[in-house]
Each structure stands twice: as structure tokens, then as C-alpha cells.
Amino acid sequence: MTRRKVIAGSLALIVAALAYSATNFLLPEGSTAALAVSDFGIMAMEGATIGLGLLAFKRAAGRDDRWLWGLLTLWAFANVLGGAGRAFYDLALGREVPSISVADIGYLLAYPLASLTLVIGAKRAAGRARTLMVALDALIFTSGLAGISWPFLLEPLARTSGPSAGFWVTLAYPVGDLVVILCFVILMFASINARLPKYMFAICAAFIVQVIADAAHVAIVSRGGAYLAGSWPAGLWTLGIALGGAAALLGMESVGGRVSEQTATSGKASLTQPVDARLNPPIAPLVLPYVSLPIVAGMIGLQLITDGPRWNKELQVLAYLGLGLVLLLLARQSLTVAQNRGLTNRLSRMSQELGQRVEDLAQLTGDLETLNAHADYLNGLKSLTEVAAESVDIACWATGSRAGWIILTEDGQEKVIAYCDDRDNADQSPPDATQQQPGEELQAVPLLARGVVIGTIFLVDPKLRNRKLDLTHMIAAHVATALDNARRYEEALRFAERDPLTGLLNHRAIHAHLIEEGGRAERNRNEVSVLMLDLDDFKLLNDTFGHPAGDRVLRRVGETARRVLRQSDRAGRVGGDELMIVLPDTGSEGAAYLSERLREELVSNPFAISE
């Protein structure tokens, strides 16, 4: 619904209410026409409000403010029920409405419906806990208003009526008005730091106008007057009903799309509380409740001055009201103390949690700095064995593991390349140290490098140093990369030093090894021997059977040399068919013996070419 239609419809309702009052003013007082216009005019306005309320209720499907329109519609319907009962006596029976009638059921039912509407609005504006707090403040403030109204409205009403059923029904009207005022004050206190939608202001105006009309009616009756059809209180009642219809029109405007972004996403009306509402509370709700007690005390003093120190009904009511206010103020103070204590406890818990988080952050920062230093050192290592040893130490330290080992997969075979063990049996050999013992928890983390699993790191009884962050997988990824780089570096280094045909050291590598061993022998005053091996007629072999056959012969000679030589000996290819063998810590006799053994091995295992 567009804003223009809402404004036009609201103005039409208000103009109709004013026209109703003007018509009643022009008609003869007490005439049948005046009674008909008075009763049916109000009922027609109430019927329009019911229709608009039902339409707003239908359009608000899926929104949490839908029940406001349901309650507003029931409120208008209760007024229709009361108006129908009054019209029955005025027009059908032609006599004055009795003190207890069917009309009272509808009129009195409107009070709890209006009160519930205001309380729901307060709850949506400030939440349940805040609403309960301001309800106590509003009750104290409203009690003060009751003390002020006692000598002007309630006390004259009590004097003119006896303690009959009709008296209690008559008394229910001003009490209902006070309850509505109480709920209105609750809404105002709850929404001081909230943004009320326009329709809530219209709803409040509708209820307050009717409260004013009720107060005027009670004042007239309490002073011996009688209700007259078409009087100015009836005009106020009709205006209140018209404002209820205007509220329904404003509600349909908000449903039609003129809502905040939060409303569009959550389906809730824009009764939103700012974040700093509790940090910057308003002064009025804190001060107003304490104004009520001096007011009631002043009314008691005025009563004592007027009637003297007599314990009459008027003084009893004010005294009991003052006692109730004192009890309410004590309850409010107790609630405030409880809330402050709860807030203090929450702040203490938050402070402890913040301190713990600071400690965790400091520990995490230290751990990350240590890991960064280890990572820098790890990246500077070239040997696969050194990288693996440093990696398993880092993993055990970072995860708090009692033991750990790294298994690397090479050529389909798994091999333990490093381990650490802080258990009681730490002096065991590597195969035993890498076994899970009874009662231990074993965590296996795959080592992934370039999308391929190159091995596994096993951790025994891991206990994270930092509860908030598990670095295991991050460490495993870094370790896998370092191991893969070290393995590739060793492979590249091996290929750079090896003859690709025979697998022996190449010309540069064997000469470098010879220089190294010669220098070491000179420093240690030891001997080093060199064997030179030359294949006879190798050129003739290549020319006769081809170079592939010659290559196979060279590979067979290299394999035989590796099989015969000791672990400390090194063989290298220095020419096309020439090999050099460096024998550290070996004299001439040992070199001659090894050369003869190599010759015999080659003779005893001839190499057949073709047929």
C-alpha cells in the first residue's frame, strides 16, 4: 500500500470521527436519532477498524508483528460487542443500561487486549529481560499516578457506590485504564533506545485517547452525572477507534515494502535496539520510578491535613499504596543489585577468558617463532638424513609426542629414515623404537609432496602444546616439501657425479675423490692406491658387434667392479674403455690382490654376445 493511500485512508477515518461528534452535537439530546447515530456510528467505525485489522493481519503473514494486528482486531471486536450491548438497551429496550450488562463484557475485555498489544510491542522493542525490568519501573510510576487520581476519580467513585457487584464492575473501568497506562509506560520505557515503527505510535494514540475518554466518563459518573449518548467522551472513543484503523493502514504500508533491510531478510519489524543501549542508559526510566513515592507521601499528607489523623478508608488506601510502592522499590533495588552482580560476574569471566586468550596467543606466537626458526634451519639442510632427523624432532616438539618416526617410500619400499624417542626405552635400536607399545596412542600423518604421498610421519601420544591450534598437518606439509627437496637434491647430485652408462663415478668425480683421499692419506700418513683398468680391443668389439653391445659390456664390467670392491673403494670411468679405482688405506700388495681378484671375476664370468 502506498503512502498516499495510507494518508488518505487515515484522514478519512479521522474526519469520519469528527463528523460523528459534530452530528451528535447537532442532534437533540436524548432523542432516538441521537441514540442511533451515537451507537451505530461507533459500531460502524469499529467495523471499519476490524476490517483493516484483518487485512493487516493477512498481509503480515510470516512476520513476528502479525499478532499485533490480531490483538488490535480483537480489541476493536470487543468494543463492537460492548457497543452492540449498549445499542440493545438504548434502541431495542428503550431504557438506560444497567450497572452490570452484556456491554460490560465487551468493554472490559478490550482492556487486557490493549494491554497485551502494548506489552508485545515492548518485548519486541527491548527483549524479554529488559521488558521485565522496565515493567517494574512502570508499575512504580503508575502507582504514583493512581495516588494522584485517587482523590479526583477513585475516591469520589468509592463514596458514591457501595461495595456491590455493580461497584466492582464500575471500579474495573478505571483500574483497566490504569493497567493500559501501565503497559503504555512499559512500552515507552522499553523503546527509549529503540526505533518504534509508525504504526506503534498510532496504536498507542488509539489506546491513550480511549483512556482519556474513560477517565472523563468515570469523572462524570463519580460526581453524580450520567452518560449521555453523543457526548464528547463518545467522540473521543470514536476517535480512538479511528486511530486504531489508521494504525492498521500504517502496518500494511510497512508490509508493502517500506521496511528496513533487516526486516526484508528476517521478516521482523524495525524495533531494533542499538548496540550501545546498555552502555549509555537513559536517565528518565531510572529517575521516574522514584518520583512516585514522594507523590504518594504528599497525597497522604494532604489527606491528613484535610480529614485529620483518622484511619478512614481514604487514608487506608493511600497508606497501602505507599507500602506497596516501598515494597516495589525494594524489589527493584534487589533486582538491580542482582543484575549488577550478574554483570560483574560476567565481566570477571570475560576478563579471565581474555587473559587466557592472551596467554594462548603469547604461547602460539612463541611456538610459531620457534617453528619459523626451525623451518629456516630445515630449509638450509641438503642431506636427506639431516632433513629427516630435524623434521621428526620438530614434529615431536610441536605436538608434545613422546616418540615419532618418519617412513619414506622409495621404489615401492618403505624405510625408516629418522626417529626420536623420549620414552623410558629410548636406548632401543631404531627398529624397536619405532614400534607402538601397549596403551599408547599412535597418530599417522601422511607426507604429501606435489600431490603424491612420499611417506608417513608417526607420532606417539601427541598432546598439542597449544589447545587452540593443531599444527600437525601444517608441519607435515612443510616436512614433506623439505624431504622431497632434499631427495631431489641428492638425486641431482648423484646424477651429476655418476657416469650414466655404468653408474660409476664420472671423470670429474673420481678425480675429485682421488684428490680428497690423497690429501687425507697425507694428513694421516696412510697409503692410498690407484688401479687403472683398460679393456683390450674394445674398439674392435664396437666395430664388430656395434656400440650397443659395447655399452652392455661396459655396464657388465661396472657391475663386476662394484661387486668386488670394498665399501670404502670408489670406481670411476675416466675414458671410453678406461676405469680408475681408488683404494684408500691400501698399499701395493692389497692393490695387486684386488686387481687379480677383479681379473679372475671377469674371466670366470664371460659375457656372450649374440650367438
Side-chain angles (χ1 to χ4, degrees):
M1 181 173 291
T2 62
R3 174 169 294 184
R4 182 175 298 178
K5 291 182 180 180
V6 170
I7 295 175
S10 301
L11 289 177
L13 290 172
I14 296 175
V15 169
L18 296 177
Y20 165 84
S21 299
T23 303
N24 285 325
F25 179 77
L26 296 175
L27 291 174
E29 185 177 299
S31 63
T32 303
L35 291 175
V37 171
S38 176
D39 292 337
F40 288 108
I42 293 179
M43 293 175 61
M45 184 65 70
E46 291 164 346
T49 300
I50 290 174
L52 293 174
L54 289 174
L55 188 58
F57 179 79
K58 180 180 179 181
R59 292 194 177 185
R63 291 162 51 102
D64 65 349
D65 61 344
R66 189 183 191 192
W67 292 108
L68 291 175
W69 309 120
L71 291 172
L72 183 69
T73 304
L74 292 175
W75 168 78
F77 181 77
N79 281 281
V80 168
L81 182 62
R86 175 172 291 279
F88 175 74
Y89 284 99
D90 288 341
L91 300 176
L93 301 182
R95 63 187 181 88
E96 186 177 351
V97 181
S99 59
I100 301 178
S101 66
V102 179
D104 294 319
I105 298 176
Y107 288 141
L108 293 178
L109 184 61
Y111 290 114
L113 292 172
S115 302
L116 186 58
T117 302
L118 294 173
V119 169
I120 290 179
K123 178 178 175 294
R124 295 180 63 250
R128 179 178 301 176
R130 176 65 179 165
T131 301
L132 290 176
M133 183 67 180
V134 299
L136 188 58
D137 294 338
L139 182 59
I140 299 173
F141 178 73
T142 309
S143 299
L145 292 181
I148 295 176
S149 64
W150 170 255
F152 305 105
L153 296 177
L154 301 181
E155 192 269 339
L157 183 65
R159 287 181 178 178
T160 57
S161 303
S164 60
F167 166 75
W168 293 112
V169 171
T170 304
L171 185 63
Y173 284 93
V175 172
D177 290 330
L178 287 176
V179 172
V180 173
I181 292 175
L182 168 66
C183 296
F184 171 75
V185 175
I186 291 175
L187 176 61
M188 292 299 102
F189 283 0
S191 60
I192 286 179
N193 285 316
R195 185 180 58 180
L196 285 176
K198 297 177 183 177
Y199 61 75
M200 281 305 303
F201 290 104
I203 291 175
C204 292
F207 295 157
I208 293 302
V209 168
Q210 283 215 333
V211 166
I212 295 174
D214 289 343
H217 172 69
V218 171
I220 293 173
V221 173
S222 64
R223 283 163 175 75
Y227 171 77
L228 297 177
S231 61
W232 66 271
L236 287 179
W237 274 319
T238 308
L239 180 60
I241 298 295
L243 290 173
L249 289 172
L250 290 171
M252 285 186 280
E253 179 194 13
S254 68
V255 174
R258 306 185 63 84
V259 292
S260 64
E261 182 179 354
Q262 179 182 356
T263 305
T265 56
S266 64
K268 298 182 179 180
S270 56
L271 292 176
T272 54
Q273 180 107 0
V275 176
D276 61 344
R278 295 181 180 180
L279 301 178
N280 188 23
I283 301 299
L286 301 177
V287 176
L288 285 179
Y290 297 95
V291 178
S292 301
L293 189 60
I295 290 176
V296 175
M299 299 305 299
I300 293 176
L302 182 62
Q303 183 68 34
L304 291 173
I305 294 174
T306 304
D307 297 339
R310 292 188 302 168
W311 187 245
N312 52 18
K313 182 171 61 176
E314 292 79 8
L315 185 59
Q316 291 177 17
V317 171
L318 291 175
Y320 292 145
L321 184 60
L323 178 61
L325 275 176
V326 171
L327 294 177
L328 287 174
L329 287 172
L330 290 176
R332 187 188 188 282
Q333 288 300 112
S334 300
L335 182 59
T336 302
V337 170
Q339 286 184 337
N340 290 339
R341 183 178 302 170
L343 182 59
T344 302
N345 292 336
R346 288 180 57 191
L347 289 176
S348 178
R349 289 195 300 269
M350 291 175 62
S351 177
Q352 292 177 0
E353 292 176 359
L354 182 60
Q356 184 61 48
R357 291 184 181 181
V358 171
E359 292 181 4
D360 292 341
L361 183 59
Q363 180 183 354
L364 177 60
T365 302
D367 290 348
L368 291 177
E369 290 177 352
T370 303
L371 286 175
N372 186 53
H374 281 293
D376 291 341
Y377 177 71
L378 191 64
N379 292 331
L381 299 177
K382 302 300 183 183
S383 170
L384 180 63
T385 303
E386 293 177 345
V387 171
E390 180 68 16
S391 297
V392 74
D393 287 342
I394 292 175
C396 289
W397 171 84
T399 60
S401 302
R402 299 172 59 209
W405 55 90
I406 293 178
I407 293 179
L408 208 60
T409 304
E410 294 182 355
D411 300 328
Q413 301 293 326
E414 293 185 344
K415 178 183 178 182
V416 177
I417 61 172
Y419 79 100
C420 68
D421 194 356
D422 293 332
R423 296 174 292 188
D424 295 337
N425 57 347
D427 56 346
Q428 292 184 350
S429 59
D432 294 330
T434 56
Q435 296 296 323
Q436 183 182 5
Q437 299 178 6
E440 291 181 336
E441 177 188 355
L442 186 63
Q443 181 182 7
V445 184
L447 299 175
L448 220 68
R450 296 178 291 113
V452 179
V453 178
I454 63 173
T456 308
I457 183 170
F458 291 91
L459 301 170
V460 176
D461 291 339
K463 295 178 180 61
L464 298 180
R465 288 174 52 82
N466 193 293
R467 301 186 305 273
K468 304 298 182 182
L469 186 61
D470 185 359
L471 302 175
T472 306
H473 292 278
M474 184 180 73
I475 293 174
H478 195 79
V479 166
T481 301
L483 290 174
D484 186 59
N485 291 338
R487 187 168 61 177
R488 287 177 165 273
Y489 174 79
E490 289 190 352
E491 289 178 354
L493 186 62
R494 185 171 63 252
F495 289 144
E497 294 179 345
R498 298 288 172 174
D499 174 56
L501 180 61
T502 61
L504 303 176
L505 296 177
N506 57 24
H507 185 280
R508 181 190 62 81
I510 192 62
H511 280 86
H513 185 68
L514 175 59
I515 295 174
E516 179 182 353
E517 289 296 333
R520 190 171 66 86
E522 185 177 2
R523 290 192 302 272
N524 298 334
R525 298 182 181 277
N526 289 336
E527 294 179 302
V528 60
S529 298
V530 177
L531 297 180
M532 297 299 298
L533 187 149
D534 188 357
L535 300 182
D536 296 337
D537 300 323
F538 188 71
K539 183 177 183 305
L540 178 61
L541 176 66
N542 282 332
D543 294 342
T544 305
F545 298 101
H547 288 280
D551 292 342
R552 286 168 19 188
V553 169
L554 284 175
R555 281 195 292 269
R556 172 65 66 86
V557 173
E559 293 171 359
T560 304
R562 282 196 297 271
R563 187 169 60 250
V564 172
L565 296 179
R566 300 168 301 182
Q567 186 175 3
S568 59
D569 300 335
R570 293 292 183 270
R573 185 182 177 193
V574 295
D577 58 352
E578 297 176 353
L579 303 181
M580 177 189 290
I581 301 176
V582 179
L583 307 173
D585 300 326
T586 304
S588 58
E589 293 182 0
Y593 169 78
L594 190 60
S595 66
E596 288 300 324
R597 183 182 171 192
L598 178 58
R599 187 195 308 272
E600 292 174 359
E601 186 71 20
L602 290 172
V603 171
S604 60
N605 294 286
F607 182 73
I609 298 177
S610 185
E611 297 296 333

